[in-house]
Amino acid sequence: MSPVEIGVIGCLILLVLLLTSMPVAFAMLAAGVIGFALIVNPAAAFSMVSADLYETFSSYSLTVIPLFVMMGQIAFHAGISRRMFRTAYVWIGHLRGGLAMATVGACAGFGAICGSGPATAATMSAVALPEMKRYGYADSLASGTVAAGGSLGMLIPPSVVFIVYALMTEQSIGDLFLAGIIPGILIALLFCLSIYFSCIGNSRLGPAGPRHSWKERFQSLTGVIETLILFFLVMGGMFFGIFTPIEAAAMGTAGSFAIAIFQKEMSLHKLKMIIFETVRTSSMIFFIVAGAVIFGRFLAVSRIPFAVAGFFVSLPLPGWGVMIIIILFFLFAGCFIDALALILLTIPIFYPVILELGFDPVWFGVIVVVITQMGVITPPVGVNVYVVSGIERDIPLTVIFKGALPYLLMLLISALILIVFPQLSLFLPGLLR
């Protein structure tokens, strides 16, 4: 068999392993090692595995991942997300659907200090869902908002997905972080518009809460000071060239820890939980990255990425036509594969195509993240939906998926806007160049 044929069989084996619920990291590792051994030889395959595993787990660049994960964990246990939600609720909770809009705002704010979609969804499930249920919000709107709003953690910096994309494509992490700010705000606003019009048409979805005085509103603004401090510490430090991304992550972690100490929200028990969750989440990401690196080596020797790139470039379509096909692929595949795993699997294949067609790789990174955001709230592998369902077990999965449907439309609209107006994602990175 030719290397390309072995490559195709290897991809099919990977798909079968994923369908058997084998962890993504181990599925990619197994398929990559077997395929590499068949194309080259077993000795080279095992040598490649040992070298790549060591290189991945000793990589200084990947230090940024556990630092940002720990920053988000400290912020959660320090109550920063709870105070941020309270601020948003005081300002707009009196509107129909105002509590759901406040949840979107809190998701965006917590995403700015967390970097993970599922972690944001889990946090807001614990913070916002009980409040929305207490004020009589429909389960579909409440749970769907938390699941969809949690996806903002994938786009608004610091984003773990952006970090992995940057490491794979050798792009600037700072540029990608900046590129996600305006699209993140755009999507949050579209989510709020969806909630507003849904509740105008059916007031029972999200009844209005009590109105707070202007004094209470301004007093509540203290609840966002911590988030703003951390965001500007991290992003401002990178924007003005004071910190590298790794230094910015370390400063953000130190800053969140200092806030927790100052607010007297830190204890030995919480510190143990923070360390445990950081190690668990970071290890999962590291293993997925290592598996993807090994599977990528197999794809490289199989020549599949080059064959696919040549096929797309030779299509009698303009560049935008090819881009639409790639986006539709991500949209379809995102329904079945976890967002991080999908990016790790497909970027080695599609990235050369993007470069060949002349598209900006930073813009493409934003588009890919926006598209994969849809996958975390669509069946059958809508990970954010499963996170919400795991925390609120009395809400059926079908109800959560139904509640998330309007947000799928908003994500699609935002993707189209970013395709038509790429400068929305490239404007801020352009200021640094």
Side-chain angles (χ1 to χ4, degrees):
M1 287 189 292
S2 68
V4 173
E5 291 172 332
I6 295 175
V8 172
I9 294 172
C11 292
L12 293 175
I13 291 174
L14 174 62
L15 182 60
V16 171
L17 292 176
L18 292 174
L19 291 175
T20 63
S21 299
M22 178 182 282
V24 174
F26 300 125
M28 290 190 292
L29 180 66
V33 171
I34 294 171
F36 197 95
L38 290 174
I39 293 176
V40 186
N41 60 67
F46 287 115
S47 175
M48 178 266 295
V49 169
S50 61
D52 283 345
L53 287 177
Y54 176 79
E55 184 178 344
T56 299
F57 285 98
S58 63
S59 172
Y60 177 68
S61 300
L62 287 178
T63 308
V64 71
I65 292 176
L67 285 172
F68 275 129
V69 171
M70 177 171 274
M71 177 180 163
Q73 286 294 322
I74 295 172
F76 169 62
H77 288 284
I80 292 176
S81 55
R82 184 179 65 251
R83 292 187 286 274
M84 189 165 45
F85 175 78
R86 173 64 184 171
T87 300
Y89 169 61
V90 168
W91 278 86
I92 59 177
H94 64 281
L95 301 173
R96 288 184 182 178
L99 209 53
M101 295 181 201
T103 300
V104 171
C107 285
F110 189 70
I113 52 176
C114 173
S116 167
T120 304
T123 302
M124 287 301 118
S125 294
V127 172
L129 269 182
E131 290 296 310
M132 284 193 276
K133 295 181 75 172
R134 185 161 68 91
Y135 281 100
Y137 274 59
D139 284 346
S140 59
L141 177 65
S143 58
T145 299
V146 172
S151 70
L152 291 170
M154 299 168 56
L155 181 64
I156 295 178
S159 163
V160 172
V161 178
F162 272 148
I163 293 170
V164 173
Y165 176 88
L167 294 174
M168 292 187 70
T169 59
E170 298 182 349
Q171 294 298 312
S172 165
I173 295 177
D175 282 357
L176 285 161
F177 279 2
L178 290 172
I181 294 176
I182 294 177
I185 295 172
L186 170 67
I187 293 173
L189 291 175
L190 288 174
F191 281 2
C192 289
L193 281 176
S194 174
I195 294 167
Y196 177 77
F197 286 112
S198 295
C199 293
I200 287 294
N202 183 359
S203 60
R204 290 178 297 178
L205 283 176
R211 183 183 292 272
H212 292 80
S213 67
W214 283 103
K215 180 181 178 181
E216 290 175 312
R217 293 180 186 180
F218 285 113
Q219 286 177 339
S220 72
L221 291 177
T222 56
V224 299
I225 291 176
E226 302 146 326
T227 302
L228 292 176
I229 289 173
L230 290 175
F231 182 78
F232 286 113
L233 176 66
V234 173
M235 296 305 301
M238 286 191 291
F239 184 84
F240 292 108
I242 302 172
F243 307 135
T244 65
I246 295 175
E247 291 167 346
M251 290 299 297
T253 303
S256 60
F257 191 77
I259 290 171
I261 295 294
F262 179 78
Q263 295 285 358
K264 298 180 180 178
E265 294 277 3
M266 187 55 65
S267 66
L268 184 60
H269 174 68
K270 286 184 177 180
L271 184 59
K272 288 179 179 178
M273 293 177 64
I274 288 167
I275 294 173
F276 174 78
E277 287 297 325
T278 299
V279 171
R280 187 182 68 85
T281 303
S282 301
S283 298
M284 177 192 70
I285 295 172
F286 275 30
F287 271 107
I288 291 176
V289 171
V293 168
I294 291 168
F295 190 74
R297 302 281 191 196
F298 160 56
L299 288 179
V301 297
S302 72
R303 307 292 296 175
I304 281 184
F306 307 101
V308 172
F311 170 75
F312 275 109
V313 172
S314 65
L315 287 175
L317 294 172
W320 285 108
V322 176
M323 177 59 69
I324 289 172
I325 294 175
I326 294 174
I327 289 173
L328 289 175
F329 169 83
F330 274 102
L331 182 58
F332 173 76
C335 296
F336 300 92
I337 304 176
D338 173 72
L340 183 60
L342 177 63
I343 287 175
L344 285 164
L345 285 169
T346 55
I347 290 304
I349 296 175
F350 289 119
Y351 188 69
V353 179
I354 296 305
L355 295 181
E356 186 71 25
L357 294 173
F359 289 105
D360 191 291
V362 172
W363 168 83
F364 179 65
V366 173
I367 291 294
V368 167
V369 173
V370 172
I371 295 298
T372 52
Q373 275 183 263
M374 302 182 194
V376 301
I377 55 175
T378 52
V381 191
V383 63
N384 279 18
V385 173
Y386 288 105
V387 167
V388 174
S389 176
I391 294 174
E392 282 292 330
R393 297 184 181 275
D394 59 331
I395 302 179
L397 274 172
T398 53
V399 172
I400 307 175
F401 278 122
K402 178 183 176 183
L405 277 177
Y407 301 106
L408 283 175
L409 177 61
M410 295 301 104
L411 285 170
L412 184 59
I413 291 172
S414 64
L416 293 174
I417 292 173
L418 292 172
I419 290 171
V420 177
F421 303 104
Q423 282 304 313
L424 287 174
S425 55
L426 297 177
F427 172 71
L428 290 179
L431 293 177
L432 291 179
R433 295 173 181 171

